[in-house]
Amino acid sequence: KAGVTQTPRYLIKTRGQQVTLSCSPISGHRSVSWYQQTPGQGLQFLFEYFSETQRNKGNFPGRFSGRQFSNSRSEMNVSTLELGDSALYLCASSRGPVGNQPQHFGDGTRLSIL
Amino acid sequence: GESVGLHLPTLSVQEGDNSIINCAYSNSASDYFIWYKQESGKGPQFIIDIRSNMDKRQGQRVTVLLNKTVKHLSLQIAATQPGDSAVYFCAENPPGGYNKLIFGAGTRLAVHP
């Protein structure tokens, strides 16, 4: 069974640009969550989608947005990139609508802002 | 590979010894907890989980202990191997958070032959 797939693995952008990251969850998983990982702040929750609806959002500016498609695949978008947006962006999927169940992560997209 | 965290606390153990990694969680109402292992250049890998109605759960070579009184989790790894070297994170699922996880800062485990 394939795991969570994130594309691209690496991305280099410049300040002011925008970027779209993609996540394909494990087959049968309908919940997709996004996290930002940096050496200084650790792993921080961005948002979660279930059945194409955003159910929860972390404490990030509106430049960070996402969406989920009917096949459960998800994308996140960051507009007007800043140097501080350099991070590893991780996607996790889980099966059902409620918490209390394992979430499985992809290997992330490494975003570098020049 | 990419650095997960430059200044994480480090636990150094000898190969074959048992390891204990500790974690304090933040929300006394959290009812589900997960331990993850993250190797350089990879995403967090699920190790074991525990619900708040349990105080101990065992897997293959790993045991998680939950002490709700002091909001503390621990991960015990038996007969630690070089392949166990990684950063370990605990995560809690707060009430009403759906699938949101709050992560601890992480501990780096270094296994020496």
Side-chain angles (χ1 to χ4, degrees):
Chain A
K1 194 173 187 179
V4 177
T5 304
Q6 293 188 246
T7 56
R9 285 298 312 276
Y10 301 93
L11 209 45
I12 298 175
K13 292 285 187 180
T14 56
R15 281 181 298 174
Q17 289 187 309
Q18 67 99 28
V19 67
T20 300
L21 312 181
S22 181
C23 172
S24 294
I26 292 171
S27 178
H29 285 195
R30 296 168 61 193
S31 169
V32 172
S33 300
W34 289 89
Y35 293 83
Q36 181 195 65
Q37 185 173 30
T38 59
Q41 298 298 316
L43 278 147
Q44 292 188 290
F45 173 80
L46 278 157
F47 27 66
E48 187 225 353
Y49 288 88
F50 181 83
S51 291
E52 304 177 65
T53 300
Q54 186 184 89
R55 302 197 297 179
N56 210 341
K57 191 175 193 307
N59 189 23
F60 280 84
R63 300 184 296 108
F64 291 81
S65 63
R67 59 178 175 168
Q68 187 180 34
F69 302 95
S70 58
N71 62 357
S72 295
R73 190 177 70 85
S74 178
E75 291 180 345
M76 67 163 282
N77 183 277
V78 188
S79 62
T80 319
L81 287 164
E82 301 177 358
L83 292 176
D85 297 334
S86 293
L88 180 66
Y89 289 88
L90 292 158
C91 165
S93 76
S94 59
R95 185 171 298 277
V98 297
N100 299 345
Q101 55 195 292
Q103 291 187 48
H104 300 276
F105 282 81
D107 286 335
T109 294
R110 172 72 59 183
L111 176 62
S112 298
I113 311 301
L114 304 180
Chain B
E2 296 87 356
S3 171
V4 171
L6 298 178
H7 302 292
L8 293 173
T10 298
L11 174 65
S12 293
V13 300
Q14 291 294 123
E15 181 179 357
D17 286 351
N18 296 334
S19 303
I20 300 176
I21 301 171
N22 295 303
C23 172
Y25 62 91
S26 61
N27 191 326
S28 58
S30 291
D31 55 6
Y32 179 62
F33 306 87
I34 306 177
W35 279 99
Y36 286 96
K37 170 187 180 183
Q38 188 174 26
E39 296 173 286
S40 184
K42 294 189 175 182
Q45 176 188 354
F46 175 90
I47 302 173
I48 191 168
D49 59 0
I50 188 168
R51 289 174 171 72
S52 59
N53 60 352
M54 306 170 70
D55 52 21
K56 178 179 180 178
R57 189 162 189 230
Q58 290 184 286
Q60 189 176 17
R61 278 202 310 119
V62 295
T63 300
V64 54
L65 299 178
L66 173 63
N67 185 331
K68 295 182 287 293
T69 303
V70 294
K71 296 191 292 184
H72 184 267
L73 275 168
S74 67
L75 178 70
Q76 300 177 359
I77 304 173
T80 313
Q81 302 166 359
D84 295 326
S85 294
V87 177
Y88 289 80
F89 294 95
C90 68
E92 62 183 290
N93 181 220
Y98 296 108
N99 285 308
K100 174 182 178 178
L101 293 176
I102 299 172
F103 281 82
T107 297
R108 187 180 305 279
L109 177 64
V111 183
H112 303 286

